[in-house]
């Protein structure tokens, strides 16, 4: 081997020795960076909230919102639940001479208060109302020479319980107490004798009641009902098949 070959071999060996560290550093740079599952990205990095804690906090916020809405249900309602109705129907007066009854026209008015709105619970506040009612009917019998007539006036206070079918309609049952004012007269030819009296009155019945909104904000509602109501006055039992319509504010 001559001197030229020796110099070339020495230069190649020196070049390989110099290039080896650079190749090793490039291989290390191409390797993927390690990921620390324990969040060792730095001591100052904020810890992320766990999913379970976030779900619990959201659930508590939803429960608080529902409780707040329930408490405000009675204050946000634009309708006060106070109104009046006029009613009419067929009154079957208990006939003293027997039979199914003496059918006569009946008329009346009532004042209604939905006192259940005093209850904060959204369901219970729609279940209760009460009526203050006056209803009357007149019977007459006899001949042109001898006749009699009787005017029956029913004054009652009657609370009711509603079973809602929907937000607008509901079935109700009702019990009430009051006074029956009775005005009677007997006429013989041109002579007439009049009597009057009062007695305790017990009322009970069932009905269907509706109250659709008349305004967009539901502050005014139309009320209507159909009902079967019985009045117990002494030993007499009168039955009314009636209907009513009114306005609720």
């Amino acid at each position: 081997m001559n001197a030229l070959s020796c110099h070339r071999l020495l230069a190649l060996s020196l070049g390989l020795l110099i290039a080896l560290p650079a190749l090793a550093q490039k291989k290390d740079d191409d390797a993927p960076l390690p990921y620390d599952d324990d969040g060792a990205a730095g001591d100052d990095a904020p810890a992320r909230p766990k999913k379970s804690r976030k779900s619990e906090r959201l659930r508590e916020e939803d429960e608080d919102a529902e409780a707040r809405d329930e408490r405000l249900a009675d204050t946000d309602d634009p309708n006060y639940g106070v109104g009046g109705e006029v009613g009419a129907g067929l009154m079957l007066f208990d006939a003293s001479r027997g039979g199914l009854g003496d059918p006569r026209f009946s008329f009346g008015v009532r004042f209604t208060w939905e006192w259940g709105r005093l209850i904060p619970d959204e369901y219970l506040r729609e279940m209760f109302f009460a009526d203050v009612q006056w209803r009357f009917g007149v019977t007459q019998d006899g001949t042109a020479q001898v006749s009699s007539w009787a005017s029956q006036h029913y004054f009652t206070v009657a609370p009711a319980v509603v079973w809602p079918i929907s937000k607008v309609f509901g079935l109700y049952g009702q019990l009430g107490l009051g006074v029956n004012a009775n005005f009677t007269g007997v006429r013989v030819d041109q002579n007439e004798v009049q009597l009057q009296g009062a007695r305790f009155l017990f009322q009970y019945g069932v009905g269907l009641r509706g109250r659709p909104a008349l305004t967009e904000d539901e502050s005014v509602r139309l009320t209507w009902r159909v009902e079967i109501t019985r009045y117990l006055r002494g030993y007499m039992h009168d039955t009314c098949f009636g209907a009513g319509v009114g306005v609720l504010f």
Side-chain angles (χ1 to χ4, degrees), residues 15 20 25 28 35 37 43 49 53 80 98 101 116 121 124 137 157 161 167 188 200 209 216 224:
L20 283 176
Q25 181 66 31
D28 293 338
Y35 180 75
D37 292 337
D43 295 338
R53 293 181 180 177
Y80 294 102
D121 184 81
L124 294 178
V157 177
V161 180
K167 187 178 180 181
V188 179
F200 174 79
R209 183 171 181 257
E216 185 176 356
W224 60 264

PDB file of all heavy atoms in Angstrom, residues 15 20 25 28 35 37 43 49 53 80 98 101 116 121 124 137 157 161 167 188 200 209 216 224:
ATOM      1  N   GLY A  15     -13.621  11.053   8.882  1.00  0.00           N
ATOM      2  CA  GLY A  15     -14.963  11.555   8.510  1.00  0.00           C
ATOM      3  C   GLY A  15     -16.073  10.747   9.165  1.00  0.00           C
ATOM      4  O   GLY A  15     -17.087  11.291   9.600  1.00  0.00           O
ATOM      5  N   LEU A  20     -20.751  10.208  13.072  1.00  0.00           N
ATOM      6  CA  LEU A  20     -21.541   9.318  13.931  1.00  0.00           C
ATOM      7  C   LEU A  20     -22.342  10.073  14.994  1.00  0.00           C
ATOM      8  O   LEU A  20     -23.528   9.794  15.209  1.00  0.00           O
ATOM      9  CB  LEU A  20     -20.601   8.288  14.585  1.00  0.00           C
ATOM     10  CG  LEU A  20     -20.157   7.138  13.675  1.00  0.00           C
ATOM     11  CD1 LEU A  20     -19.142   6.244  14.408  1.00  0.00           C
ATOM     12  CD2 LEU A  20     -21.353   6.310  13.234  1.00  0.00           C
ATOM     13  N   GLN A  25     -27.827  11.939  17.051  1.00  0.00           N
ATOM     14  CA  GLN A  25     -28.703  13.029  17.523  1.00  0.00           C
ATOM     15  C   GLN A  25     -29.963  13.146  16.660  1.00  0.00           C
ATOM     16  O   GLN A  25     -31.063  13.372  17.156  1.00  0.00           O
ATOM     17  CB  GLN A  25     -27.913  14.354  17.493  1.00  0.00           C
ATOM     18  CG  GLN A  25     -28.722  15.549  17.982  1.00  0.00           C
ATOM     19  CD  GLN A  25     -29.054  15.446  19.435  1.00  0.00           C
ATOM     20  OE1 GLN A  25     -28.286  14.860  20.204  1.00  0.00           O
ATOM     21  NE2 GLN A  25     -30.209  15.979  19.822  1.00  0.00           N
ATOM     22  N   ASP A  28     -32.455  10.470  17.669  1.00  0.00           N
ATOM     23  CA  ASP A  28     -33.179  10.807  18.914  1.00  0.00           C
ATOM     24  C   ASP A  28     -34.234  11.869  18.677  1.00  0.00           C
ATOM     25  O   ASP A  28     -35.312  11.855  19.289  1.00  0.00           O
ATOM     26  CB  ASP A  28     -32.180  11.288  19.972  1.00  0.00           C
ATOM     27  CG  ASP A  28     -31.241  10.169  20.412  1.00  0.00           C
ATOM     28  OD1 ASP A  28     -31.630   8.995  20.223  1.00  0.00           O
ATOM     29  OD2 ASP A  28     -30.153  10.484  20.939  1.00  0.00           O
ATOM     30  N   TYR A  35     -45.553  11.182  26.842  1.00  0.00           N
ATOM     31  CA  TYR A  35     -46.703  11.884  27.438  1.00  0.00           C
ATOM     32  C   TYR A  35     -46.883  11.418  28.872  1.00  0.00           C
ATOM     33  O   TYR A  35     -46.970  10.217  29.130  1.00  0.00           O
ATOM     34  CB  TYR A  35     -47.969  11.604  26.633  1.00  0.00           C
ATOM     35  CG  TYR A  35     -49.194  12.288  27.190  1.00  0.00           C
ATOM     36  CD1 TYR A  35     -49.375  13.657  27.024  1.00  0.00           C
ATOM     37  CD2 TYR A  35     -50.143  11.545  27.898  1.00  0.00           C
ATOM     38  CE1 TYR A  35     -50.501  14.290  27.532  1.00  0.00           C
ATOM     39  CE2 TYR A  35     -51.256  12.173  28.419  1.00  0.00           C
ATOM     40  CZ  TYR A  35     -51.434  13.549  28.234  1.00  0.00           C
ATOM     41  OH  TYR A  35     -52.537  14.165  28.749  1.00  0.00           O
ATOM     42  N   ASP A  37     -49.098  10.863  31.836  1.00  0.00           N
ATOM     43  CA  ASP A  37     -50.517  10.738  32.196  1.00  0.00           C
ATOM     44  C   ASP A  37     -50.843  11.396  33.526  1.00  0.00           C
ATOM     45  O   ASP A  37     -52.011  11.679  33.818  1.00  0.00           O
ATOM     46  CB  ASP A  37     -50.923   9.257  32.266  1.00  0.00           C
ATOM     47  CG  ASP A  37     -50.898   8.639  30.877  1.00  0.00           C
ATOM     48  OD1 ASP A  37     -51.006   9.406  29.911  1.00  0.00           O
ATOM     49  OD2 ASP A  37     -50.767   7.396  30.791  1.00  0.00           O
ATOM     50  N   ASP A  43     -45.627  22.148  37.318  1.00  0.00           N
ATOM     51  CA  ASP A  43     -46.294  22.295  38.598  1.00  0.00           C
ATOM     52  C   ASP A  43     -47.283  23.437  38.587  1.00  0.00           C
ATOM     53  O   ASP A  43     -48.237  23.461  39.361  1.00  0.00           O
ATOM     54  CB  ASP A  43     -45.246  22.527  39.706  1.00  0.00           C
ATOM     55  CG  ASP A  43     -44.364  21.312  39.891  1.00  0.00           C
ATOM     56  OD1 ASP A  43     -44.816  20.199  39.502  1.00  0.00           O
ATOM     57  OD2 ASP A  43     -43.237  21.467  40.408  1.00  0.00           O
ATOM     58  N   PRO A  49     -60.990  20.015  36.096  1.00  0.00           N
ATOM     59  CA  PRO A  49     -62.009  19.358  36.949  1.00  0.00           C
ATOM     60  C   PRO A  49     -62.401  18.022  36.377  1.00  0.00           C
ATOM     61  O   PRO A  49     -62.487  17.845  35.165  1.00  0.00           O
ATOM     62  CB  PRO A  49     -63.188  20.350  36.915  1.00  0.00           C
ATOM     63  CG  PRO A  49     -62.995  21.122  35.655  1.00  0.00           C
ATOM     64  CD  PRO A  49     -61.506  21.215  35.438  1.00  0.00           C
ATOM     65  N   ARG A  53     -67.282  15.588  38.917  1.00  0.00           N
ATOM     66  CA  ARG A  53     -67.528  16.808  39.663  1.00  0.00           C
ATOM     67  C   ARG A  53     -68.325  17.803  38.821  1.00  0.00           C
ATOM     68  O   ARG A  53     -69.219  18.483  39.313  1.00  0.00           O
ATOM     69  CB  ARG A  53     -66.210  17.429  40.098  1.00  0.00           C
ATOM     70  CG  ARG A  53     -65.448  16.598  41.128  1.00  0.00           C
ATOM     71  CD  ARG A  53     -64.171  17.284  41.521  1.00  0.00           C
ATOM     72  NE  ARG A  53     -63.435  16.503  42.513  1.00  0.00           N
ATOM     73  CZ  ARG A  53     -62.249  16.853  42.985  1.00  0.00           C
ATOM     74  NH1 ARG A  53     -61.679  17.980  42.549  1.00  0.00           N
ATOM     75  NH2 ARG A  53     -61.637  16.095  43.881  1.00  0.00           N
ATOM     76  N   TYR A  80    -105.575  35.917  38.636  1.00  0.00           N
ATOM     77  CA  TYR A  80    -105.785  35.888  40.078  1.00  0.00           C
ATOM     78  C   TYR A  80    -106.755  34.790  40.502  1.00  0.00           C
ATOM     79  O   TYR A  80    -106.869  34.499  41.689  1.00  0.00           O
ATOM     80  CB  TYR A  80    -106.317  37.239  40.553  1.00  0.00           C
ATOM     81  CG  TYR A  80    -105.318  38.354  40.398  1.00  0.00           C
ATOM     82  CD1 TYR A  80    -105.417  39.253  39.340  1.00  0.00           C
ATOM     83  CD2 TYR A  80    -104.274  38.512  41.298  1.00  0.00           C
ATOM     84  CE1 TYR A  80    -104.497  40.276  39.188  1.00  0.00           C
ATOM     85  CE2 TYR A  80    -103.349  39.533  41.155  1.00  0.00           C
ATOM     86  CZ  TYR A  80    -103.467  40.417  40.092  1.00  0.00           C
ATOM     87  OH  TYR A  80    -102.553  41.415  39.944  1.00  0.00           O
ATOM     88  N   GLY A  98    -145.565  13.192  45.527  1.00  0.00           N
ATOM     89  CA  GLY A  98    -144.915  12.016  44.946  1.00  0.00           C
ATOM     90  C   GLY A  98    -144.489  12.270  43.512  1.00  0.00           C
ATOM     91  O   GLY A  98    -144.611  13.372  42.971  1.00  0.00           O
ATOM     92  N   GLY A 101    -140.531  14.346  40.440  1.00  0.00           N
ATOM     93  CA  GLY A 101    -140.198  15.734  40.739  1.00  0.00           C
ATOM     94  C   GLY A 101    -141.043  16.681  39.928  1.00  0.00           C
ATOM     95  O   GLY A 101    -141.722  16.297  38.961  1.00  0.00           O
ATOM     96  N   GLY A 116    -107.005  27.715  45.604  1.00  0.00           N
ATOM     97  CA  GLY A 116    -105.832  26.856  45.514  1.00  0.00           C
ATOM     98  C   GLY A 116    -104.591  27.583  45.030  1.00  0.00           C
ATOM     99  O   GLY A 116    -103.470  27.088  45.216  1.00  0.00           O
ATOM    100  N   ASP A 121     -97.336  24.888  45.350  1.00  0.00           N
ATOM    101  CA  ASP A 121     -97.156  23.736  44.476  1.00  0.00           C
ATOM    102  C   ASP A 121     -97.954  23.922  43.188  1.00  0.00           C
ATOM    103  O   ASP A 121     -99.153  24.248  43.209  1.00  0.00           O
ATOM    104  CB  ASP A 121     -97.619  22.455  45.181  1.00  0.00           C
ATOM    105  CG  ASP A 121     -97.358  21.226  44.345  1.00  0.00           C
ATOM    106  OD1 ASP A 121     -96.219  20.735  44.342  1.00  0.00           O
ATOM    107  OD2 ASP A 121     -98.308  20.759  43.672  1.00  0.00           O
ATOM    108  N   LEU A 124    -101.082  21.335  42.891  1.00  0.00           N
ATOM    109  CA  LEU A 124    -102.146  21.516  43.881  1.00  0.00           C
ATOM    110  C   LEU A 124    -102.873  22.835  43.699  1.00  0.00           C
ATOM    111  O   LEU A 124    -104.072  22.929  43.992  1.00  0.00           O
ATOM    112  CB  LEU A 124    -101.564  21.432  45.290  1.00  0.00           C
ATOM    113  CG  LEU A 124    -101.007  20.082  45.717  1.00  0.00           C
ATOM    114  CD1 LEU A 124    -100.431  20.164  47.123  1.00  0.00           C
ATOM    115  CD2 LEU A 124    -102.084  18.998  45.652  1.00  0.00           C
ATOM    116  N   GLY A 137    -135.814  29.227  42.002  1.00  0.00           N
ATOM    117  CA  GLY A 137    -136.816  28.656  41.106  1.00  0.00           C
ATOM    118  C   GLY A 137    -138.196  28.856  41.706  1.00  0.00           C
ATOM    119  O   GLY A 137    -138.341  29.000  42.929  1.00  0.00           O
ATOM    120  N   VAL A 157    -122.384  28.330  50.149  1.00  0.00           N
ATOM    121  CA  VAL A 157    -120.925  28.435  50.010  1.00  0.00           C
ATOM    122  C   VAL A 157    -120.412  27.021  49.838  1.00  0.00           C
ATOM    123  O   VAL A 157    -120.611  26.171  50.717  1.00  0.00           O
ATOM    124  CB  VAL A 157    -120.283  29.107  51.235  1.00  0.00           C
ATOM    125  CG1 VAL A 157    -118.761  29.130  51.089  1.00  0.00           C
ATOM    126  CG2 VAL A 157    -120.828  30.508  51.430  1.00  0.00           C
ATOM    127  N   VAL A 161    -113.212  20.270  44.663  1.00  0.00           N
ATOM    128  CA  VAL A 161    -111.930  19.659  44.327  1.00  0.00           C
ATOM    129  C   VAL A 161    -111.966  19.260  42.852  1.00  0.00           C
ATOM    130  O   VAL A 161    -112.919  18.633  42.398  1.00  0.00           O
ATOM    131  CB  VAL A 161    -111.636  18.423  45.197  1.00  0.00           C
ATOM    132  CG1 VAL A 161    -110.301  17.803  44.820  1.00  0.00           C
ATOM    133  CG2 VAL A 161    -111.649  18.791  46.675  1.00  0.00           C
ATOM    134  N   LYS A 167    -104.905  21.313  31.024  1.00  0.00           N
ATOM    135  CA  LYS A 167    -104.727  22.621  31.639  1.00  0.00           C
ATOM    136  C   LYS A 167    -105.999  23.440  31.585  1.00  0.00           C
ATOM    137  O   LYS A 167    -106.191  24.373  32.367  1.00  0.00           O
ATOM    138  CB  LYS A 167    -103.587  23.364  30.941  1.00  0.00           C
ATOM    139  CG  LYS A 167    -103.208  24.682  31.606  1.00  0.00           C
ATOM    140  CD  LYS A 167    -102.052  25.333  30.904  1.00  0.00           C
ATOM    141  CE  LYS A 167    -101.686  26.661  31.585  1.00  0.00           C
ATOM    142  NZ  LYS A 167    -100.554  27.327  30.898  1.00  0.00           N
ATOM    143  N   VAL A 188    -157.005  32.414  47.209  1.00  0.00           N
ATOM    144  CA  VAL A 188    -158.386  31.926  47.078  1.00  0.00           C
ATOM    145  C   VAL A 188    -159.218  33.094  46.555  1.00  0.00           C
ATOM    146  O   VAL A 188    -159.375  34.106  47.259  1.00  0.00           O
ATOM    147  CB  VAL A 188    -158.942  31.418  48.421  1.00  0.00           C
ATOM    148  CG1 VAL A 188    -160.389  30.937  48.242  1.00  0.00           C
ATOM    149  CG2 VAL A 188    -158.069  30.308  48.982  1.00  0.00           C
ATOM    150  N   PHE A 200    -131.981  25.327  57.075  1.00  0.00           N
ATOM    151  CA  PHE A 200    -130.628  24.896  56.722  1.00  0.00           C
ATOM    152  C   PHE A 200    -130.639  24.167  55.381  1.00  0.00           C
ATOM    153  O   PHE A 200    -131.567  23.436  55.056  1.00  0.00           O
ATOM    154  CB  PHE A 200    -130.074  23.993  57.818  1.00  0.00           C
ATOM    155  CG  PHE A 200    -128.751  23.367  57.493  1.00  0.00           C
ATOM    156  CD1 PHE A 200    -127.580  24.086  57.618  1.00  0.00           C
ATOM    157  CD2 PHE A 200    -128.691  22.051  57.059  1.00  0.00           C
ATOM    158  CE1 PHE A 200    -126.359  23.502  57.322  1.00  0.00           C
ATOM    159  CE2 PHE A 200    -127.474  21.455  56.764  1.00  0.00           C
ATOM    160  CZ  PHE A 200    -126.305  22.193  56.893  1.00  0.00           C
ATOM    161  N   ARG A 209    -115.824  21.416  34.201  1.00  0.00           N
ATOM    162  CA  ARG A 209    -115.520  22.847  34.158  1.00  0.00           C
ATOM    163  C   ARG A 209    -114.379  23.117  33.195  1.00  0.00           C
ATOM    164  O   ARG A 209    -113.383  22.393  33.168  1.00  0.00           O
ATOM    165  CB  ARG A 209    -115.157  23.334  35.555  1.00  0.00           C
ATOM    166  CG  ARG A 209    -114.870  24.821  35.689  1.00  0.00           C
ATOM    167  CD  ARG A 209    -114.755  25.165  37.164  1.00  0.00           C
ATOM    168  NE  ARG A 209    -114.503  26.576  37.384  1.00  0.00           N
ATOM    169  CZ  ARG A 209    -113.315  27.095  37.699  1.00  0.00           C
ATOM    170  NH1 ARG A 209    -112.267  26.279  37.844  1.00  0.00           N
ATOM    171  NH2 ARG A 209    -113.155  28.390  37.882  1.00  0.00           N
ATOM    172  N   GLU A 216    -103.879  36.732  25.289  1.00  0.00           N
ATOM    173  CA  GLU A 216    -102.625  36.028  25.016  1.00  0.00           C
ATOM    174  C   GLU A 216    -101.830  35.771  26.282  1.00  0.00           C
ATOM    175  O   GLU A 216    -101.183  34.729  26.423  1.00  0.00           O
ATOM    176  CB  GLU A 216    -101.797  36.847  24.025  1.00  0.00           C
ATOM    177  CG  GLU A 216    -100.517  36.155  23.566  1.00  0.00           C
ATOM    178  CD  GLU A 216     -99.770  36.956  22.521  1.00  0.00           C
ATOM    179  OE1 GLU A 216    -100.298  38.011  22.109  1.00  0.00           O
ATOM    180  OE2 GLU A 216     -98.682  36.527  22.116  1.00  0.00           O
ATOM    181  N   TRP A 224    -116.747  28.108  31.913  1.00  0.00           N
ATOM    182  CA  TRP A 224    -118.046  27.484  31.667  1.00  0.00           C
ATOM    183  C   TRP A 224    -118.092  26.170  32.431  1.00  0.00           C
ATOM    184  O   TRP A 224    -117.061  25.606  32.787  1.00  0.00           O
ATOM    185  CB  TRP A 224    -118.285  27.253  30.172  1.00  0.00           C
ATOM    186  CG  TRP A 224    -117.275  26.351  29.517  1.00  0.00           C
ATOM    187  CD1 TRP A 224    -116.168  26.729  28.830  1.00  0.00           C
ATOM    188  CD2 TRP A 224    -117.280  24.911  29.505  1.00  0.00           C
ATOM    189  NE1 TRP A 224    -115.474  25.625  28.384  1.00  0.00           N
ATOM    190  CE2 TRP A 224    -116.139  24.500  28.783  1.00  0.00           C
ATOM    191  CE3 TRP A 224    -118.127  23.942  30.038  1.00  0.00           C
ATOM    192  CZ2 TRP A 224    -115.845  23.151  28.583  1.00  0.00           C
ATOM    193  CZ3 TRP A 224    -117.823  22.594  29.845  1.00  0.00           C
ATOM    194  CH2 TRP A 224    -116.691  22.209  29.107  1.00  0.00           C
TER     195      TRP A 224
END
